[in-house]
Amino acid sequence: MSTPFDYQALLDETLREEKKYGERGQVASYIPELRKADPNMAGIALMTTRGIFTAGDTAVNFTLQSISKVLTLLLALEHRGVEAVFAKVGSEPTGDSFNSIVKLETSEQKPLNPMINAGAIAVCSLLPGQSVEERFGLIADLLEKILGRPVQIDESVYRSEKETGHRNRALAHFLKDIHALEGDVEEVLDLYFRQCSILVNCADLARIGMFLAAKGINEAGKPIVSANAVRLVSTFMVTCGMYNGSGEFAIKVGIPAKSGVAGGILGVVPGRYGVATYGPALDRKGNSVVGISMLRRLSQVLDLSIF
Ligand code: GLN
């Protein structure tokens, strides 16, 4: 009988060798509360069919930020259907930064894709429900089904972004003007800020990754969302999940992934693993520097690239 692969040793080595690269990045500061993060934190988690393996700061809580865009897109596709979603948002990558306002005025009158802020805010407006609480309940409920525990938001990060999110507010009003946003602008923004403030740790992200790797089936073996919604979301993660760094990430790592400005990266290795990293020091495109280095090493050793 062959000895099982030593994932733990691989994660320990990955962390040891790549952790130093975090120094090349900077913690996000445009949301004041995020400045408090320790730039030296680094963690990696890998969820396999044999269970979860972790190394480094994988129990530290941080906010989902843009990783939440994956969840709202899944929900919008499930509740409103593919056609309704693509009536409000496109499917093309953009070479601009995640919160850019530049390409909003396209001939199509909708944001380029659901992974940039403008697209995610438009998608957010599609969630059904009578109130923000009810709509947020859908997101929290989905996460609870994936993680097997209730989730909370970080109230101070939520308030911090709600008070200072002028650019997102500008994007949302523009979207309303071009009919890409349904309902009340402030309510949609409130939902968006709440979803961005959901607290997770690196191990949780790896579980979300595994859920997507298993085409929407949770750890208890229950189908939670359709395989087609997971396919669409995973495709967006490849083409737009790391924003204007998605092409380079596809070359270096080659897996569907989604980053957030709090420092998390959620990775999916279809049919095999969920993988996640944490490291709040970011590159100029808003992606975790240490996260990308660790994922690159892991991808080389485990031959993870889907290409
Ligand atoms: N809440 C952040 C924002 O809207 C999310 C951005 C991100 O994680 N890239 O600016």
Side-chain angles (χ1 to χ4, degrees):
M1 210 178 84
S2 62
T3 37
F5 185 82
D6 194 345
Y7 289 114
Q8 190 58 51
L10 173 61
L11 293 194
D12 291 339
E13 180 197 308
T14 302
L15 183 78
R16 197 172 54 241
E17 295 297 322
E18 308 294 333
K19 195 176 158 98
K20 54 182 177 292
Y21 294 115
E23 282 169 18
R24 296 186 185 167
Q26 276 189 339
V27 166
S29 58
Y30 76 101
I31 300 174
E33 197 63 23
L34 293 184
R35 283 183 207 147
K36 294 182 182 163
D38 174 357
N40 299 313
M41 290 267 179
I44 179 161
L46 183 74
M47 177 86 187
T48 75
T49 48
R50 279 164 40 203
I52 193 151
F53 297 86
T54 61
D57 304 306
T58 50
V60 177
N61 280 331
F62 54 91
T63 50
L64 268 180
Q65 298 299 336
S66 280
I67 300 168
S68 63
K69 293 168 180 171
V70 165
L71 302 171
T72 26
L73 180 58
L74 280 174
L75 287 167
L77 288 165
E78 291 292 89
H79 287 272
R80 301 293 297 270
V82 176
E83 222 170 287
V85 171
F86 289 113
K88 300 289 180 194
V89 70
S91 47
E92 294 305 332
T94 149
D96 302 317
S97 58
F98 65 83
N99 56 6
S100 176
I101 204 156
V102 180
K103 298 229 176 78
L104 263 192
E105 198 150 36
T106 60
S107 52
E108 302 215 34
Q109 298 286 292
K110 57 187 180 188
L112 280 168
N113 71 69
M115 297 287 122
I116 50 171
N117 288 12
I121 293 168
V123 169
C124 226
S125 82
L126 296 174
L127 294 198
Q130 295 306 311
S131 61
V132 176
E133 281 74 23
E134 206 180 305
R135 292 180 207 120
F136 181 75
L138 291 174
I139 305 172
D141 195 56
L142 172 61
L143 258 181
E144 184 166 346
K145 284 185 187 139
I146 300 172
L147 301 178
R149 63 158 179 91
V151 290
Q152 288 181 328
I153 68 166
D154 182 322
E155 289 288 342
S156 6
V157 172
Y158 161 68
R159 274 198 304 274
S160 184
E161 188 169 16
K162 197 171 160 75
E163 279 159 20
T164 60
H166 304 298
R167 183 176 279 257
N168 284 327
R169 217 161 248 119
L171 289 171
H173 280 283
F174 197 100
L175 291 170
K176 184 75 189 171
D177 185 66
I178 61 173
H179 308 290
L181 182 146
E182 285 186 6
D184 180 79
V185 174
E186 273 307 318
E187 278 191 17
V188 172
L189 282 166
D190 192 38
L191 180 61
Y192 175 74
F193 296 142
R194 283 192 208 201
Q195 70 171 54
C196 287
S197 311
I198 294 174
L199 282 167
V200 288
N201 61 36
C202 197
D204 292 331
L205 284 189
R207 288 182 193 281
I208 303 174
M210 190 58 156
F211 165 75
L212 296 173
K215 298 186 181 170
I217 295 174
N218 74 1
E219 277 175 61
K222 216 170 150 214
I224 306 298
V225 292
S226 70
N228 193 45
V230 173
R231 179 183 67 81
L232 292 171
V233 169
S234 306
T235 310
F236 276 118
M237 289 169 80
V238 170
T239 55
C240 321
M242 306 295 281
Y243 312 114
N244 43 336
S246 298
E248 195 181 338
F249 187 84
I251 301 275
K252 283 184 180 168
V253 185
I255 61 170
K258 184 74 208 81
S259 66
V261 282
I265 300 178
L266 158 69
V268 181
V269 187
R272 285 171 77 189
Y273 307 113
V275 58
T277 56
Y278 174 55
L282 310 178
D283 62 20
R284 298 222 318 268
K285 294 175 176 171
N287 298 320
S288 167
V289 175
V290 71
I292 292 178
S293 327
M294 290 193 292
L295 289 171
R296 181 191 199 169
R297 176 180 285 261
L298 207 70
S299 177
Q300 280 164 359
V301 177
L302 293 175
D303 192 18
L304 300 184
S305 176
I306 62 168
F307 299 106

